Amino acid sequence: MTARLARWRVALRIARRDALRSKGRTALVVLLMMLPVAAGAFVVGGIRTSTPTTETRISWQMGSSAQARLSVGCGDVRAPIEQDPLGTDGCDSSAADLGAVDPGDLASLLPRGDDVTPAGRVGLPIRSGRALVRSAEFLVLDAASVPGLLGEVEGHAGPGTGQIVLRRQIADRLGVGIGDRVELDSVEVEVVGIGDSSSPVAGLVGASTVGGSEPIWFVVGDAPVTWGDVQNLNAIGMVVASRAVYEDPPPPEQVPAASYGDSGDTARVVGVIAAVVALGLLEIVLLVGPAFAVGAKRNARMLALVAASGGAPGDVRRIVLASGLVAGVIAGVVGLAVGSAGTVVWFLTRQGSTYPLPNLVIPVLEPAGIAAIALLLGLAAAWFPARSAASADVVMALAGRRGDVPARRRVAWTGLSLAGAGVAMGVVAATVSEPVLLAVGVIVMEIGLVMAAGMLVELVGRLAPMMRLPARFALRDARRHRSRTAPAVAAVLAAVAAATVGLVWIASDARVQEAIWRPVAADQVGLVSLSTWDQDAEGLVEQYDRVERAIGGVLPQARMVPVRLLESTTHTGPNSSWSAAALPDPATVCPEDQEYSEDATDERCRVVPSASAGFTWGSGALVDDGSMVGALGLDGAAAAADALSRGEVVVNDPEAIWPDGRVHLTVMDDDYQPATAEVTARGHLVEWASQAYDLVVPPPLAEDLEGAAQVALADRGERAGDADPGGTDAGDPLFGIRTAGAVVTGVDLDQADVDSLNRDLSDIDANVRLTYEGEMGGKRSDADLAAIIVGAALVVALLATGLSVGLAVTDSRADLATLSAVGASPRVRRRITSAQAGVVAIVGTLAGVSTGLLLAFVIGRWQQTDRFTGYLWETIVPWPHVGALAIGLPLLAVAGGWLLSRSRLPVRRRLAQ
């Protein structure tokens, strides 16, 4: 044992000296190996920081002294429930209602000496002179009896009636301080304190200040509320957050709600994450391995001297492995420091947001396991170079000669078999919708391709006789030294394949999101919705004018265009309202003798599932002369505006345009029964999926539709107002054009503008609101994501290529010196180095793109089995991005090889071989 430790001590000393001697190579290896450690430390720290600790949960729920917080579990129905220690409950809302809560009943189930303090929880808008927050949660209570709910408070911590204590982030968003006044749902209150908590609660309101709150109770006293007390309170329908239970939760077997989670979903998520992590670590091993091979090659003579002096192959192997251990230790320490620093920076940058991170937590136990990843990476990356060095011919190494290792076809064929098996597993997993099997298939396929990279290099090397000198030299060199070329090719292949899959996924997912999120305008176009409830047409015009003045006062360059709807204005008979609609082409309607279904053979009867989200002004048809549509900024908006100005109808359903190019309009009652009278006009088709553009009619056609509605009433023997004598008068119009909102252009809106304007608009009506296209959909920039993925792939692939070329230059220095001696110019040597970089980059890129496309279609097949969005999924290949990756990477590698190659080589003595 002592002798073995002594051998490792010597090996580690040699490795440390080599690391100090080759600082550039050591820094590169440490950088690559520390990335997963830093990422792991950041992810773990981020999860712990974004998850409230026990102390934070207690502070949010119970402040600094309360023993528990109680609330009714089933909302309006008080029925027995079951809960977990954190207060997640499962209730049966169909159970018999136990009636209103009696505080005396609560006190009777509490430990002796405890009492309950009533409070309330309410969500309300709050506004100041500068901004409006449309919805925030407040607690209404006597805060003096429950201190600490908002942490340390600057000012007065216990608000009285007509007073409020705000969380600092909310106060900053409103632009108020202590002594200022704000409006809480039309009730003016004074800000008397500002708390520093990260609680989701926006503020504490004095008792009796506002009404309509949901009742809650705080348990105050010295006796802890135990798990038994919690279950007793559950029996009368109360959910309990207990300080004692948070600090000392019961064992799982005592928790009836412990099995509410779906362990199957958790296992699938863990399986997919594990696959991604495994592929990332494999990529790093492929990148770092050639770097250790470079070190072993440069130290070949020293290692040969160790063997010649009596060192066993294990000693030589141990020296190279020690280099991996030394680099792993350094990478582990640096990675943990970088990851922890990233967690701190993230926490600090989020402190000023409306909802900051709950607490800063730097993990203590996890770092040991995370740092072990770096050690394992170092050993794994150094293993094959160590084996190669241990089996090297000592005599040839001392003589400075190369020893070529014949290709092992068994390894290559095994790799191809594994790759095929991985693809088969992926296809099966995609068919049966099993993510874990898919992840395993991806890993197996990737490992198989890595093993087969040597055969790929061997096959490409056979093209050497057909090439000119630089390419011929590079191909023969790559074929001769597969041990350094194959890992680099495999690393480029893996990086490019991953990038290709990512690009295809982004393009395909963007198409799904476009199908779900149906924009009504171009991004950043402002959208105003008026308060249309219980407002006549004249009142809405007045409301619009006030909105226009308010927005123009803050943003004078803004241009507003009104949005008008054709809506029913009367109630008639059993049908309460009328609506305008475009009749579909009869040739596209499902025959009456067939039924609608998802698997109908007749496409006209096939039901296609749909999911959609987006802004809308109402359910009526839009009425526009082209001015509003022209301001939308959508593709084809100008042509649609011209069509409306010519009296044409705009629709987004091709079935609404009949073969004669016209749209047949009619009116329908509440039962969707069309009237016999029709109005026709030429149709203009747009590709805007939002339901707001199902039908857009010019103003003259709106009058024609009124006539069709009157004809329909006459056919039924009814008159407007017959069934509603207290409403509209008989003979009044059935339709009216009402202003429902506006489109705002000419300005780039941000959240601060929206908050400030919404505060002003709330003075007009609480339901008048400004938003902008893209805000509600949470849109992302797919172009930016694609650029990030391509950039990451380029960095990884160029690193792999650079390491391989560096080792190739080391191996080929004698050959290049010989060429120089016989008259080769520096340009020839640059071309050879560029060709060596090109071999690795071109072979790896082409194989990676092909592999990535195959894998993308497999993953796309799996995504199509998703029950929510699978029917929308279509595998979209973004050829411009994929082409840029396939062409740009080899060009960059070749250019880098040309620019970074040395024009002068040191004269060296070369032995005959």
Side-chain angles (χ1 to χ4, degrees), residues 805-820:
V805 171
L807 184 54
V809 169
T810 300
D811 279 340
S812 306
R813 188 166 294 168
D815 295 329
L816 295 175
T818 301
L819 286 174
S820 179

Side-chain angles (χ1 to χ4, degrees), residues 49-243:
T49 295
S50 58
T51 303
T53 62
T54 299
E55 293 76 13
T56 301
R57 290 181 187 275
I58 291 174
S59 173
W60 288 359
Q61 296 280 351
M62 292 156 271
S64 59
S65 62
Q67 296 295 336
R69 173 171 165 170
L70 315 178
S71 59
V72 179
C74 294
D76 295 335
V77 178
R78 185 164 68 94
I81 65 164
E82 294 179 342
Q83 72 165 76
D84 66 9
L86 295 181
T88 303
D89 66 283
C91 68
D92 182 7
S93 57
S94 63
D97 189 357
L98 299 178
V101 177
D102 183 354
D105 293 340
L106 300 179
S108 66
L109 297 176
L110 296 175
R112 185 181 300 274
D114 285 349
D115 201 357
V116 292
T117 295
R121 178 175 58 193
V122 63
L124 295 172
I126 182 172
R127 68 174 186 166
S128 65
R130 285 181 48 185
L132 167 70
V133 177
R134 285 202 166 269
S135 181
E137 181 181 342
F138 298 91
L139 296 182
V140 184
L141 76 165
D142 177 11
S145 60
V146 192
L149 287 170
L150 285 185
E152 296 292 330
V153 176
E154 175 187 355
H156 186 50
T161 301
Q163 297 178 334
I164 189 172
V165 175
L166 290 175
R167 182 161 51 84
R168 182 169 301 280
Q169 291 80 6
I170 298 296
D172 291 342
R173 184 172 173 182
L174 293 170
V176 298
I178 296 175
D180 292 333
R181 304 190 73 82
V182 295
E183 286 188 21
L184 192 64
D185 193 28
S186 303
V187 177
E188 190 174 271
V189 294
E190 180 186 2
V191 179
V192 296
I194 297 177
D196 63 359
S197 174
S198 58
S199 168
V201 173
L204 308 178
V205 184
S208 304
T209 301
V210 295
S213 62
E214 173 191 345
I216 60 174
W217 296 264
F218 290 95
V219 178
V220 295
D222 297 327
V225 177
T226 65
W227 180 243
D229 299 327
V230 169
Q231 292 181 313
N232 291 335
L233 290 165
N234 290 162
I236 64 169
M238 306 303 295
V239 176
V240 185
S242 166
R243 181 185 298 268

Side-chain angles (χ1 to χ4, degrees), residues 528-606:
V528 175
S529 57
L530 300 181
S531 178
T532 59
W533 179 256
D534 200 24
Q535 291 280 352
D536 57 19
E538 291 75 14
L540 288 172
V541 170
E542 180 184 354
Q543 196 178 109
Y544 175 86
D545 292 339
R546 295 179 64 188
V547 169
E548 188 173 30
R549 289 195 296 272
I551 293 179
V554 177
L555 301 172
Q557 68 275 30
R559 174 174 173 265
M560 282 184 58
V561 182
V563 175
R564 297 185 173 92
L565 296 178
L566 183 65
E567 295 181 333
S568 176
T569 60
T570 186
H571 301 281
T572 58
N575 299 301
S576 60
S577 62
W578 293 84
S579 61
L583 295 173
D585 177 8
T588 65
V589 177
C590 178
E592 294 183 0
D593 58 347
Q594 297 188 37
E595 295 183 355
Y596 286 95
S597 65
E598 293 186 11
D599 55 355
T601 55
D602 191 332
E603 291 187 1
R604 297 174 298 175
C605 304
R606 190 172 302 158

Side-chain angles (χ1 to χ4, degrees), residues 414-625:
T414 302
L416 289 176
S417 301
L418 286 176
V423 173
M425 293 170 65
V427 173
V428 172
T431 303
V432 301
S433 186
E434 180 49 60
V436 176
L437 181 61
L438 177 65
V440 173
V442 172
I443 293 175
V444 171
M445 184 186 74
E446 196 75 22
I447 293 174
L449 290 173
V450 169
M451 295 176 65
M455 175 181 285
L456 189 60
V457 173
E458 174 76 18
L459 293 175
V460 173
R462 295 182 181 181
L463 301 176
M466 295 180 286
M467 302 294 174
R468 300 184 64 181
L469 174 62
R472 183 165 66 249
F473 185 101
L475 288 171
R476 286 177 174 174
D477 181 74
R479 182 180 181 187
R480 183 185 303 141
H481 300 287
R482 288 178 304 279
S483 61
R484 60 168 161 79
T485 308
V489 170
V492 175
L493 186 156
V496 173
T500 303
V501 172
L503 291 173
V504 174
W505 178 275
I506 288 176
S508 304
D509 185 62
R511 182 68 59 86
V512 172
Q513 298 306 319
E514 289 175 4
I516 294 176
W517 178 256
R518 302 179 178 181
V520 296
D523 281 352
Q524 300 302 308
V525 171
L527 307 171
V528 175
S529 57
L530 300 181
S531 178
T532 59
W533 179 256
D534 200 24
Q535 291 280 352
D536 57 19
E538 291 75 14
L540 288 172
V541 170
E542 180 184 354
Q543 196 178 109
Y544 175 86
D545 292 339
R546 295 179 64 188
V547 169
E548 188 173 30
R549 289 195 296 272
I551 293 179
V554 177
L555 301 172
Q557 68 275 30
R559 174 174 173 265
M560 282 184 58
V561 182
V563 175
R564 297 185 173 92
L565 296 178
L566 183 65
E567 295 181 333
S568 176
T569 60
T570 186
H571 301 281
T572 58
N575 299 301
S576 60
S577 62
W578 293 84
S579 61
L583 295 173
D585 177 8
T588 65
V589 177
C590 178
E592 294 183 0
D593 58 347
Q594 297 188 37
E595 295 183 355
Y596 286 95
S597 65
E598 293 186 11
D599 55 355
T601 55
D602 191 332
E603 291 187 1
R604 297 174 298 175
C605 304
R606 190 172 302 158
V607 177
V608 179
S610 64
S612 64
F615 183 89
T616 182
W617 288 282
S619 58
L622 286 171
V623 179
D624 184 38
D625 59 2

Side-chain angles (χ1 to χ4, degrees), residues 503 506 780-790:
L503 291 173
I506 288 176
R780 63 170 187 264
S781 173
D782 295 319
D784 292 344
L785 281 177
I788 291 172
I789 288 179
V790 172

Side-chain angles (χ1 to χ4, degrees), residues 169-474:
Q169 291 80 6
I170 298 296
D172 291 342
R173 184 172 173 182
L174 293 170
V176 298
I178 296 175
D180 292 333
R181 304 190 73 82
V182 295
E183 286 188 21
L184 192 64
D185 193 28
S186 303
V187 177
E188 190 174 271
V189 294
E190 180 186 2
V191 179
V192 296
I194 297 177
D196 63 359
S197 174
S198 58
S199 168
V201 173
L204 308 178
V205 184
S208 304
T209 301
V210 295
S213 62
E214 173 191 345
I216 60 174
W217 296 264
F218 290 95
V219 178
V220 295
D222 297 327
V225 177
T226 65
W227 180 243
D229 299 327
V230 169
Q231 292 181 313
N232 291 335
L233 290 165
N234 290 162
I236 64 169
M238 306 303 295
V239 176
V240 185
S242 166
R243 181 185 298 268
V245 174
Y246 275 10
E247 294 175 341
D248 185 20
E253 58 270 15
Q254 296 183 16
V255 181
S259 60
Y260 283 171
D262 187 348
S263 59
D265 288 343
T266 302
R268 285 191 287 272
V269 171
V270 171
V272 173
I273 293 176
V276 174
V277 171
L279 291 177
L281 296 181
L282 176 62
E283 178 72 15
I284 291 173
V285 169
L286 291 173
L287 288 173
V288 176
F292 286 118
V294 170
K297 181 68 68 175
R298 290 182 176 177
N299 295 327
R301 182 173 177 82
M302 182 269 291
L303 296 174
L305 286 174
V306 171
S309 302
D315 295 323
V316 176
R317 186 165 54 246
R318 192 176 295 110
I319 291 173
V320 180
L321 288 175
S323 299
L325 282 177
V326 170
V329 170
I330 299 174
V333 173
V334 174
L336 289 177
V338 171
S340 299
T343 301
V344 174
V345 170
W346 183 44
F347 175 79
L348 294 177
T349 56
R350 286 288 304 275
Q351 284 301 97
S353 64
T354 303
Y355 298 102
L357 295 172
N359 34 233
L360 176 61
V361 179
I362 302 298
V364 177
L365 298 178
E366 290 88 343
I370 296 174
I373 294 176
L375 295 178
L376 293 176
L377 282 176
L379 288 174
W383 175 251
F384 286 105
R387 287 188 60 192
S388 178
S391 60
D393 189 303
V394 176
V395 175
M396 295 187 70
L398 289 174
R401 298 170 181 169
R402 294 188 295 255
D404 297 337
V405 180
R408 297 180 179 179
R409 296 186 177 182
R410 181 177 60 186
V411 174
W413 285 112
T414 302
L416 289 176
S417 301
L418 286 176
V423 173
M425 293 170 65
V427 173
V428 172
T431 303
V432 301
S433 186
E434 180 49 60
V436 176
L437 181 61
L438 177 65
V440 173
V442 172
I443 293 175
V444 171
M445 184 186 74
E446 196 75 22
I447 293 174
L449 290 173
V450 169
M451 295 176 65
M455 175 181 285
L456 189 60
V457 173
E458 174 76 18
L459 293 175
V460 173
R462 295 182 181 181
L463 301 176
M466 295 180 286
M467 302 294 174
R468 300 184 64 181
L469 174 62
R472 183 165 66 249
F473 185 101

